[in-house]
Amino acid sequence: MTSNIGWELYRTFLSVLREGSLSGAARALGITQPTVGRHVAALEEALGTVLFTRSQTGLLPTEVALALRTHAEAMESTAASLERAASSQGEGVRGVVRVSASEVVCAEVLPTIVARLRETHPALKVELVSTNRVQDLLRREADIAVRMVRPRQEQLVARRIGNIELGFHAHRDYLARHGAPRKLEELAAHSLIGYDQPTAFVRNAGKSLKGFTRDTFSVRTDSDLTQLALIRAGAGIGICQVALASREPGLVRLMPRAFSLQLDTWVTMHEDLRGSPRCRVAFDALAEGLARHIGGPAAEAKMPRARTTATE
């Protein structure tokens, strides 16, 4: 077995493990599929063992591969820590900061915050990752994340912003044509906008709406942005952020006492980036901007001083 094995081989190995195929790993890493194949073959040769077997569903990890996973992930975490430590050095607010947030927050809330941030710090470059998947800050998929769930990892610093409220809304044009429901039971007679495939969030939200299933919705999409666009277009009644709807005169909130869903909102990043000027100013700008969005006091959104994820 070769003792001097480059990290890039283990990184590719981990990606194949997670994606289940050479093509999936290539997309995730931004390299070609033949390169992924060469990396896996080189690692197998260096270790003197087979790591994957082919099947109709993709590549299956061997017992050796599964045993190596924890160690490779530890290497990945160390590599990410080295990157964070290196990127936090230097003077001034400059360089790249990568921010992850949900589709709706990225498209509807962050642009104004980013515009102000860039006006103040023109040497700062901002990358926005628009996804409803929780990005892994420990593996540095993002530097800073806006999350609708309290972070649990000890290595993260986080600041609770407050609750983003969701409610039923419809456009005035739709209500003029079909009338406004006054009870949840009356929603069955309306065109409802909702999800196509249930997610963990949808299942949790469904606890507040007994009897609502996929078949309940007349228009279905798993894109939150598309649902918001449909509500704006007068296609029916759907759920969206109260703060966003209040900015548009054409949208009307329905039955606020009967239905209100609160999203616990946090801004978080890895503790290794606390000394990074670019991450500090971006963190503060996001926290303060989100506090303004939901109507919370901006003073509550300062950079966290403690290592834990508890509020201050």
Side-chain angles (χ1 to χ4, degrees):
M1 182 178 72
T2 303
S3 59
N4 186 19
I5 302 175
W7 155 239
E8 70 277 4
L9 301 187
Y10 285 108
R11 180 180 61 181
T12 302
F13 160 72
L14 272 178
S15 188
V16 174
L17 264 179
R18 289 164 178 156
E19 302 296 331
S21 67
L22 298 181
S23 59
R27 287 192 297 271
L29 294 173
I31 59 179
T32 66
Q33 184 171 330
T35 300
V36 173
R38 286 194 296 270
H39 283 184
V40 171
L43 184 60
E44 289 180 329
E45 182 178 357
L47 295 175
T49 187
V50 175
L51 297 174
F52 298 97
T53 59
R54 295 187 179 275
S55 72
Q56 294 181 344
T57 59
L59 294 180
L60 297 178
T62 63
E63 291 186 6
V64 174
L66 294 176
L68 290 176
R69 179 168 190 159
T70 300
H71 302 290
E73 287 178 338
M75 293 174 66
E76 180 184 49
S77 178
T78 300
S81 295
L82 287 170
E83 290 184 29
R84 283 191 296 267
S87 65
S88 67
Q89 304 304 309
E91 298 180 358
V93 179
R94 60 179 62 252
V96 178
V97 61
R98 189 172 177 85
V99 179
S100 170
S102 69
E103 285 185 340
V104 169
V105 170
C106 253
E108 299 286 339
V109 183
L110 296 193
T112 301
I113 299 173
V114 171
R116 291 176 177 173
L117 177 61
R118 288 272 300 119
E119 285 294 323
T120 307
H121 303 285
L124 183 67
K125 300 182 187 299
V126 181
E127 295 178 350
L128 294 181
V129 183
S130 176
T131 178
N132 290 337
R133 184 175 70 86
V134 176
Q135 298 279 286
D136 193 337
L137 299 181
L138 301 187
R139 291 198 286 124
R140 212 179 174 201
E141 293 180 335
D143 297 316
I144 303 173
V146 180
R147 292 183 174 175
M148 304 307 174
V149 61
R150 178 174 180 163
R152 299 295 180 185
Q153 297 98 327
E154 291 184 358
Q155 300 96 321
L156 301 182
V157 289
R159 185 66 174 177
R160 183 177 183 273
I161 307 303
N163 289 326
I164 291 181
E165 185 180 12
L166 304 182
F168 280 116
H169 292 83
H171 196 277
R172 293 186 186 278
D173 293 345
Y174 174 86
L175 298 177
R177 296 193 304 269
H178 302 281
R182 299 186 180 280
K183 299 179 181 179
L184 291 178
E185 294 78 9
E186 297 177 6
L187 286 173
H190 285 267
S191 175
L192 299 183
I193 300 166
Y195 64 86
D196 181 33
Q197 299 297 324
T199 62
F201 170 77
V202 166
R203 286 190 290 270
N204 183 61
K207 297 176 183 178
S208 304
L209 293 170
K210 300 299 183 181
F212 278 72
T213 65
R214 179 179 183 275
D215 293 335
T216 306
F217 304 113
S218 304
V219 185
R220 304 167 188 151
T221 175
D222 291 328
S223 168
D224 296 335
L225 276 178
T226 304
Q227 289 186 22
L228 180 57
L230 287 164
I231 298 171
R232 286 168 169 161
I237 298 173
I239 297 174
C240 71
Q241 291 187 24
V242 174
L244 289 179
S246 65
R247 302 191 319 207
E248 302 193 30
L251 296 187
V252 178
R253 186 175 184 186
L254 305 170
M255 303 170 290
R257 293 184 179 179
F259 176 78
S260 173
L261 187 63
Q262 306 290 331
L263 299 181
D264 196 19
T265 306
W266 297 75
V267 178
T268 183
M269 71 178 181
H270 198 285
E271 65 177 358
D272 289 350
L273 296 176
R274 295 181 64 152
S276 166
R278 59 182 174 79
C279 289
R280 283 190 68 90
V281 299
F283 188 105
D284 287 342
L286 288 166
E288 292 165 9
L290 285 163
R292 285 192 298 268
H293 171 64
I294 66 176
E300 285 291 308
K302 293 181 180 178
M303 180 72 183
R305 296 182 296 274
R307 176 171 183 242
T308 65
T309 58
T311 54
E312 296 177 0

